[in-house]
């Protein structure tokens, strides 16, 4: 079993920055790609944001966040990060990290088998 715990969410003004962390425990995730997703309202589809392969060298981003968000990982700490800059009110959502079943980055939710509980990010205008 893998447990994922996100942290770093909060309230920030538009144009500001936040850094989310996702700490994994139970098993190492160093052989797996990791991803970040968000859900803007209950019942709305969870949206792909970014994914990083197991090596930490290859990231993939949704167009909506490309150039503003950066995914990174520290395999020694079993932790993944999402640096979010130039935040906009439409970035308000619950943010989730997830472990991919595979080593290569993926945009597909069905390729992710473990999820964190989420952390709320609220961007005020």
């Amino acid at each position: 079993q893998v447990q994922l715990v996100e942290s770093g969410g909060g309230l920030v003004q538009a144009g500001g920055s936040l850094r989310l962390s996702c700490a994994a425990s139970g098993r190492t995730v160093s052989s797996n790609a990791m991803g970040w997703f968000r859900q803007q309202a209950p019942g709305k589809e969870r949206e792909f944001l970014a994914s990083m392969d197991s090596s930490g060298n290859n990231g993939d981003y949704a167009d909506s966040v490309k150039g503003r968000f950066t995914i990174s990982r520290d395999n020694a700490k079993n932790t993944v990060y999402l640096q979010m800059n130039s935040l906009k009110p439409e970035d308000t959502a619950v943010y989730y990290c997830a472990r991919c079943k595979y080593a290569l980055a993926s945009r597909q939710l069905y390729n992710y088998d473990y999820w964190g509980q989420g952390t709320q990010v609220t961007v005020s205008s």
Side-chain angles (χ1 to χ4, degrees):
Q1 287 286 345
V2 175
Q3 293 79 43
L4 301 174
V5 178
E6 302 95 339
S7 61
L11 174 64
V12 64
Q13 287 189 328
S17 298
L18 283 175
R19 188 195 196 202
L20 305 183
S21 298
C22 172
S25 62
R27 295 179 66 178
T28 178
V29 296
S30 61
S31 298
N32 301 82
M34 297 292 292
W36 285 97
F37 298 78
R38 69 186 178 192
Q39 189 170 10
Q40 292 177 310
K44 195 169 180 181
E45 189 171 329
R46 204 164 286 191
E47 174 191 7
F48 165 79
L49 298 176
S51 180
M52 175 66 77
D53 71 357
S54 61
S55 73
N57 293 326
N58 300 293
D60 183 33
Y61 297 90
D63 288 344
S64 59
V65 304
K66 194 175 295 183
R68 299 190 299 125
F69 291 10
T70 303
I71 186 172
S72 61
R73 65 190 298 162
D74 184 337
N75 284 340
K77 295 183 178 179
N78 228 20
T79 300
V80 182
Y81 306 96
L82 187 68
Q83 178 67 42
M84 307 188 295
N85 299 329
S86 303
L87 283 162
K88 306 174 183 179
E90 51 263 43
D91 293 319
T92 295
V94 178
Y95 283 69
Y96 299 89
C97 71
R99 189 193 81 158
C100 187
K101 301 174 190 176
Y102 311 110
L104 295 179
S106 174
R107 298 186 171 209
Q108 306 303 324
L109 272 74
Y110 55 74
N111 283 333
Y112 290 82
D113 54 3
Y114 290 99
W115 294 80
Q117 83 289 347
T119 185
Q120 176 71 45
V121 171
T122 303
V123 184
S124 64
S125 56

